[in-house]
Amino acid sequence: MDYQAVLEEVAAQVKPQIGRGRVAQYIPALASVDADRFGIALADVDGHVTGVGDWERPFSVQSISKAFSLALVLADDGEKLWRRVGREPSGNPFNSLVQLEYENGIPRNPFINAGALVVTDRLQTLTGDASTTMLDFLRAESGNPDLAFDQEVAISESAHGDRNAAVAHFMASYGNLHNPVPTVLEHYFWQCSIEMSCRDLALAGGFLARHGLRADGSRLLSQSEAKRVNAIMLTCGTYDAAGDFAYRVGLPGKSGVGGGIVAVVPGRCTLCVWSPGLDARGNSVAGVAALDHFTTLTGWSVF
């Protein structure tokens, strides 16, 4: 298949969608991003990558980082994590506190903010430096040693992170955080602030298309674990729009309010699309449309 031609066709079809939606406003450092940007990249299981548009322009990964923190914890800790976080879709906004009270401080899944804080807490316990561990992993898998945190974004999130702090303190009151709340929040914000391009992210997520194998051929996850991460991405990776994403795209995906979405075609490739204009649920308008067009053109889906 001529991936370049497919991606160019996708970009042409979604052009009317680019710029629609609204960039993330609650993080001031993201509010000034140009909503008219668009890029898409595809990395096959052999590490060959192609792209169109702004596919090599770095952007803030935000919640896409949650897929990588989950994989790193599962690789080191196995099934123990699931005693502290569930695997069910939330049906509520990603930063909601409502379900936590009903469910005694156990987050519904690892991709809402509460669940991601528990995962970060565990990664911090396992490694002693959760954010740097993730950055080193992403540098290795993307082949880009220049990946870095965006200090402005991290500081901006910290300064406006009252709701995340409330969620963290609430879970700590139930004993579901083992490190000090300020430490967990700091590493969580730094993870979300990492800047990567579509190229970087498509390559970095390749282990999910290779059934758990890293770029160097070593095994990060078992085939079963990789399947499970992909399953949670499908059911929970786009917040309370996961059902619509599965209906339209039919692939495991993880979005972030920076406008990026990583999607996986197991056994074939990993995609990353970026366009900063978001819908009401925090997902890229043009990004979802692009992945919809991609699966329609190729016929590739997990269904």
Side-chain angles (χ1 to χ4, degrees):
M1 182 178 294
D2 186 343
Y3 295 139
Q4 185 72 35
V6 169
L7 296 185
E8 287 175 357
E9 175 65 17
V10 167
Q13 290 192 22
V14 302
K15 191 172 182 180
Q17 306 290 325
I18 298 170
R20 290 186 57 193
R22 190 178 184 189
V23 299
Q25 300 293 314
Y26 68 96
I27 303 171
L30 299 182
S32 61
V33 177
D34 182 359
D36 291 328
R37 296 287 181 180
F38 175 85
I40 185 170
L42 181 153
D44 67 19
V45 291
D46 296 318
H48 302 125
V49 61
T50 188
V52 299
D54 298 306
W55 69 293
E56 294 183 290
R57 185 183 181 90
F59 60 91
S60 185
V61 302
Q62 293 297 310
S63 286
I64 296 173
S65 65
K66 297 172 182 176
F68 297 105
S69 58
L70 174 61
L72 289 170
V73 169
L74 291 178
D76 204 321
D77 215 26
E79 295 288 296
K80 296 177 185 176
L81 176 69
W82 305 123
R83 301 169 189 166
R84 299 174 57 193
V85 61
R87 300 188 293 269
E88 295 294 333
S90 67
N92 282 314
F94 57 83
N95 57 359
S96 172
L97 288 99
V98 174
Q99 283 177 327
L100 280 175
E101 182 145 23
Y102 289 124
E103 298 174 356
N104 300 315
I106 304 296
R108 186 60 71 92
N109 67 68
F111 292 152
I112 56 175
N113 288 13
L117 287 165
V118 172
V119 175
T120 298
D121 176 66
R122 187 58 186 156
L123 188 59
Q124 178 66 16
T125 297
L126 291 169
T127 66
D129 190 341
S131 53
T132 301
T133 296
M134 179 184 291
L135 181 61
D136 289 343
F137 174 80
L138 293 172
R139 284 172 172 171
E141 295 306 291
S142 67
N144 184 356
D146 296 325
L147 294 183
F149 303 111
D150 185 323
Q151 184 175 4
E152 181 187 1
V153 170
I155 292 172
S156 181
E157 290 201 61
S158 179
H160 296 82
D162 291 337
R163 183 175 288 268
N164 283 318
V167 167
H169 282 291
F170 190 83
M171 291 190 297
S173 76
Y174 281 95
N176 203 16
L177 288 185
H178 299 164
N179 293 280
V181 167
T183 299
V184 177
L185 290 170
E186 178 185 9
H187 284 277
Y188 175 73
F189 293 142
W190 282 106
Q191 288 171 354
C192 290
S193 79
I194 295 172
E195 278 203 322
M196 299 176 71
S197 66
C198 293
R199 174 198 177 278
D200 296 327
L201 279 164
L203 287 169
F207 68 93
L208 292 170
R210 291 188 292 268
H211 308 295
L213 291 180
R214 295 187 61 169
D216 64 3
S218 65
R219 183 163 291 282
L220 176 71
L221 301 173
S222 69
Q223 289 194 32
S224 180
E225 288 168 337
K227 174 197 72 176
R228 290 169 178 167
V229 173
N230 280 328
I232 297 168
M233 288 173 66
L234 179 69
T235 58
C236 307
T238 47
Y239 313 119
D240 52 334
D244 187 61
F245 187 82
Y247 177 83
R248 292 183 61 187
V249 177
L251 295 174
K254 184 71 201 85
S255 63
V257 296
I261 307 173
V262 168
V264 181
V265 186
R268 291 185 184 270
C269 66
T270 304
L271 298 130
C272 180
V273 60
W274 172 57
S275 189
L278 307 178
D279 62 23
R281 290 168 171 174
N283 300 308
S284 170
V285 174
V288 174
L291 293 170
D292 182 356
H293 284 302
F294 176 85
T295 54
T296 300
L297 284 170
T298 61
W300 290 356
S301 166
V302 296
F303 300 111

